[in-house]
Amino acid sequence: RARRLARTRRRPGCASAALVDAGWAQLSAAERMALFADVRAEVDAGRADVADLLALAPRLLAEPTRIARTPALAWFEDAAGYLAPAERQRLRAWLRAALASALVVRGRRVTWLPGPDDDLLTDWVRRQVLPLVAASGDRALRTEAVRLARRWRTLPLGVQPTILAVAAEVDGATFRRLRADLATTPRVGERRALLAALGGVTDPDRQREALALALDPAIAPTEVLDLLYAAPGLPQQAVVREFFMANQAALAARLPESATAPAEVASILVGCDAAERDREVAYVRATFGDVPGGAPEVAQAIERADQCIARRALLEPGLRRWLAALPKATP
């Protein structure tokens, strides 16, 4: 039924508002998710406007289950990467308001630390929603993450990476302390959590500080890849490419032997920016094209980048129009 409804919106004279409003109440949660998936596929293929998806996504975010909310939340987080910083923050502010009800589960506000009575929904909110709300500027969540990060080694392993990532992002002093802690942290899991937090910051200067660790002999070759792959969005991935190109010879000597194959590296060196596409494609071809078995992997990296560029061209204008039309009083 959901798929049939999705097809009807593409027929001339069909009002999408009727589908979102009157039609929505007739669908089960599973059908609503299927409808969202179908409309998303149509938008990605260029056969529907992103406005159709933006009419459905808030509905899913208001669903009572984590399973129904996850596809819409994931789509918004992915789409945010196409936006300028100010627009991205405006989207996060809107998401914070849209997810306000999700922060309370069974009458209690979800916190960073797990409790004995937590269920799967509570855990999902902690891992997926709290970091987003903190990124949107929630002062209480940021302050608590920074406080907890002071004793990060004692934190439960399930939340340790999340809290470290938020604290390193919002507080420069915490970032520097965690960077220093690498020297006294031998456990592999803890080191990976630290590297993910350091490499995942969005401030360009701090991100370059983190990437510089990849040239430090104290960082293991496999950890170099952890740093390179930690970039959370398109702007941060561009900084990684800039760093790699500027330090190619030194990084090639530091990468694990298996990572010299194009499959390991080429995919992070061609981005989603049409203006930079030809330059980046020429670079990966020149760098990896002659490596045995390199041509197919380079071709796949280029194909993924071209798909991203095409999708961005479809989504970005409509997403910006939608953001511009939001009420100015949106929190």
Side-chain angles (χ1 to χ4, degrees), residues 99-124:
L99 290 165
S101 63
L103 298 177
V104 178
V105 177
R106 292 188 295 171
R108 290 186 293 183
R109 186 176 175 88
V110 180
T111 63
W112 287 119
L113 295 180
D117 299 325
D118 285 356
D119 54 15
L120 290 176
L121 176 58
T122 304
D123 183 68
W124 177 82

Side-chain angles (χ1 to χ4, degrees), residues 45-69:
R47 293 190 293 266
D49 191 275
V50 69
D52 297 328
L53 199 60
L54 289 166
L56 291 172
R59 296 276 188 161
L60 274 186
L61 290 178
E63 289 288 307
T65 68
R66 62 185 174 88
I67 295 174
R69 286 169 169 164

Side-chain angles (χ1 to χ4, degrees), residues 9-310:
R9 69 142 311 279
R10 300 195 296 273
R11 294 203 295 264
C14 177
S16 59
L19 177 63
V20 175
D21 295 330
W24 191 258
Q26 302 175 36
L27 302 178
S28 67
E31 289 173 328
R32 291 168 181 175
M33 292 171 62
L35 175 60
F36 181 82
D38 284 346
V39 175
R40 177 176 180 170
E42 293 296 304
V43 171
D44 288 346
R47 293 190 293 266
D49 191 275
V50 69
D52 297 328
L53 199 60
L54 289 166
L56 291 172
R59 296 276 188 161
L60 274 186
L61 290 178
E63 289 288 307
T65 68
R66 62 185 174 88
I67 295 174
R69 286 169 169 164
T70 296
L73 184 59
W75 183 85
F76 272 119
E77 290 183 301
D78 183 49
Y82 302 143
L83 300 171
E87 293 170 324
R88 193 178 310 117
Q89 193 62 20
R90 183 162 172 76
L91 175 58
R92 284 173 173 168
W94 179 86
L95 281 170
R96 177 183 175 184
L99 290 165
S101 63
L103 298 177
V104 178
V105 177
R106 292 188 295 171
R108 290 186 293 183
R109 186 176 175 88
V110 180
T111 63
W112 287 119
L113 295 180
D117 299 325
D118 285 356
D119 54 15
L120 290 176
L121 176 58
T122 304
D123 183 68
W124 177 82
V125 171
R126 179 176 295 113
R127 293 171 185 265
Q128 301 296 325
V129 180
L130 292 195
L132 187 152
V133 174
S136 74
D138 188 286
R139 184 175 299 178
L141 283 175
R142 290 180 174 218
T143 301
E144 182 65 4
V146 170
R147 186 186 70 80
L148 291 171
R150 296 193 186 106
R151 55 178 184 89
W152 66 268
R153 286 187 174 92
T154 69
L155 296 176
L157 295 180
V159 297
Q160 186 186 75
T162 302
I163 293 172
L164 287 180
V166 171
E169 168 69 11
V170 304
D171 185 63
T174 299
F175 172 89
R176 291 187 291 273
R177 186 168 59 252
L178 296 179
R179 185 184 60 190
D181 283 347
L182 271 174
T184 58
T185 302
R187 294 181 180 176
V188 173
E190 290 182 347
R191 290 181 65 82
R192 295 199 72 178
L194 287 173
L195 291 166
L198 296 171
V201 295
T202 60
D203 177 78
D205 292 334
R206 265 190 255 165
Q207 186 188 5
R208 292 186 184 97
E209 285 186 51
L211 289 171
L213 291 168
L215 304 176
D216 186 342
I219 300 298
T222 53
E223 294 176 334
V224 173
L225 288 178
D226 289 337
L227 282 168
L228 295 179
Y229 281 104
L234 297 179
Q236 292 74 46
Q237 291 163 16
V239 174
V240 171
R241 289 190 292 276
E242 172 193 293
F243 174 79
F244 189 96
M245 293 177 185
N247 298 278
Q248 178 184 329
L251 285 171
R254 299 243 52 236
L255 290 170
E257 185 175 343
S258 65
T260 58
E264 296 283 344
V265 180
S267 61
I268 65 174
L269 298 177
V270 187
C272 196
D273 187 341
E276 296 293 328
R277 186 261 184 201
D278 290 347
R279 180 179 71 88
E280 292 168 354
V281 165
Y283 176 79
V284 295
R285 283 176 172 159
T287 305
F288 300 111
D290 293 334
V291 174
E297 300 295 345
V298 168
Q300 288 183 22
I302 295 170
E303 181 180 359
R304 283 193 295 270
D306 286 341
Q307 290 173 349
C308 183
I309 290 169

